[in-house]
Amino acid sequence: MNHEPTATSHATLDDVITTSSHRRGKALCLSGGGYRAALFHLGAVRRLDELGILSQLDTISGVSGGSLVANLLADARLEFPADRSAGERVGGFDELVATPLRRLTSRNIRTAALLAKLKPWHWLTDDAAVRALSDELASEIDWWSIPLRDNAIAGPAIITGATEIAYGVNWVFEDPTAHAPHGRVGDYRLGYAAPPASVRIADIVAASCAFPPFFAPMVFDGEPMRLTGGHAGLESPQERRRIQQHIRLTDGGVYDNLGLEPVWKSHSTVLVSDGGGVFRARTERTIHGRMLRILGIATSGGQSVRGRWLQAGYHRGVLGGTAWALDTAAPGCYPREVAELINAVRTDLDSFSTQEQQILERHGYMVAEAQVRSHAPELIARDVPAVPPHPEVADVGVATRALHDSARRTLLGRT
């Protein structure tokens, strides 16, 4: 895996996509976007499983909402076929991935986590809210309470991304399949180390989902990690030591909302499921709204560059694969007017209704089917007809009515 300085800041387009000789393996990137993205990815991954693609993947990279699905796919109880190239389905998908995700996304976990900061004993703890979010995740997905280093799996390598804010780079949490024998954490600036036994899977998912300004960064003490191999900048040794003592990690989508960074320079096939809201022109009437809008502008620029480079890689034949997004409209999918409503669904970790869950999952299923069949049919190992889930929300009128208020974010959440 390539952990050289990031392509966006240290390389040209040609540096990234003009060669394919060193590339190996198939990767799936699951973007950020809160519960909306996670449910969209669920539908897409369901169709990849039916087509025999999921079991062939070597790596799954997830950030923010995408990390929810990526780490459910790290469940050691999932039954991946012994011959990964055969394109068979993964056993236990509904029980161990779909059902837990639907249960989780029916709950508002962000409000309780944010309110934890108000407790007097948390006033002096900067990352109390995101630590409470981690506990919420561990209580909902109980096996996420185990240490990252202890989760040996038979499936693809799982890489969870966060943003390290001192250097402004991509921080990775790699499981033991991604980096034997215990996994790896770190970034190219601070260096890498095996994950401490105290770092749970719930912690890495929470760090990846800690969307600012709602959640302060999660703080780690890097000195006990004994990170090695990092590349210092122009900061003094004293400043670098302070950074290492208080490593602050925020939402992975701030740096790389597509989750491309760990795989796009090393894998020969890259599939991207983009559940982030497509940037649209609009006005903002409150200070809070303007702050979020400005943050969106800052993050969308880097995402746009990565998206263009990805498409250039496909076009030049350097990369195999394809990408799909919330606003993808294709034959058999929801029409444009429904896709626009789906694109506007709130980015949040509050409660999603059953119909919102169903529409997002169905949409992800249909657009993944359309894009893979149109642009990467060579990946299909099991050419089975598409049977989109949740036919009860297939009707345009039903979907439109169900989504009429889905863009609105409420202070205390829906429930």
Side-chain angles (χ1 to χ4, degrees), residues 88-244:
E88 298 177 13
R89 295 195 64 177
V90 176
F93 181 87
D94 275 308
E95 175 189 357
L96 301 173
V97 180
T99 297
L101 185 68
R102 293 182 192 132
R103 185 175 63 245
L104 174 64
T105 55
S106 69
R107 283 193 56 208
N108 171 12
I109 63 170
R110 58 97 159 150
T111 301
L114 290 171
L115 291 176
K117 182 65 175 176
L118 300 179
K119 298 175 181 178
W121 53 92
H122 287 158
W123 288 354
L124 299 180
T125 305
D126 291 340
D127 61 352
V130 70
R131 293 288 178 179
L133 179 65
S134 175
D135 290 340
E136 290 282 332
L137 291 167
S139 67
E140 188 60 46
I141 312 293
D142 57 359
W143 70 270
W144 280 1
S145 62
I146 69 172
L148 172 64
R149 63 183 298 145
D150 292 343
N151 191 41
I153 61 174
I158 306 297
I159 303 176
T160 304
T163 301
E164 193 276 301
I165 65 175
Y167 287 103
V169 296
N170 185 60
W171 174 282
V172 294
F173 295 97
E174 301 176 350
D175 75 355
T177 303
H179 196 277
H182 300 300
R184 184 169 70 162
V185 300
D187 62 49
Y188 85 92
R189 283 292 202 181
L190 285 169
Y192 298 92
S198 60
V199 175
R200 306 173 298 173
I201 294 175
D203 297 329
I204 72 172
V205 176
S208 187
C209 290
F211 184 76
F214 300 103
F215 290 97
M218 184 175 281
V219 182
F220 292 91
D221 183 355
E223 288 201 326
M225 294 183 186
R226 299 182 180 178
L227 298 162
T228 60
H231 299 273
L234 299 177
E235 71 280 358
S236 68
Q238 294 80 7
E239 178 63 18
R240 183 168 174 84
R241 181 175 175 83
R242 283 193 292 269
I243 294 171
Q244 291 173 328

Side-chain angles (χ1 to χ4, degrees), residues 45-57 78-93 155-156 379-384:
V45 172
R46 178 182 295 283
R47 186 53 179 158
L48 296 182
D49 183 40
E50 291 175 355
L51 294 172
I53 298 172
L54 178 60
S55 62
Q56 297 184 58
L57 295 175
L78 286 168
E79 298 173 358
F80 283 85
D83 182 2
R84 299 282 301 284
S85 65
E88 298 177 13
R89 295 195 64 177
V90 176
F93 181 87
L379 298 179
I380 298 173
R382 303 176 69 252
D383 195 1
V384 296

Side-chain angles (χ1 to χ4, degrees), residues 36 277 280 326-327 334-346 352 356 359-360 363 395-408:
R36 178 195 61 218
R280 297 284 191 264
L326 282 174
D327 67 340
Y334 282 121
R336 176 65 65 186
E337 60 268 26
V338 177
E340 285 296 316
L341 290 173
I342 292 171
N343 178 63
V345 171
R346 63 200 179 280
F352 274 48
E356 287 175 327
I359 291 167
L360 284 161
H363 186 52
D395 181 78
V396 171
V398 171
T400 300
R401 288 189 295 273
L403 297 175
H404 82 282
D405 192 41
S406 293
R408 184 172 59 89

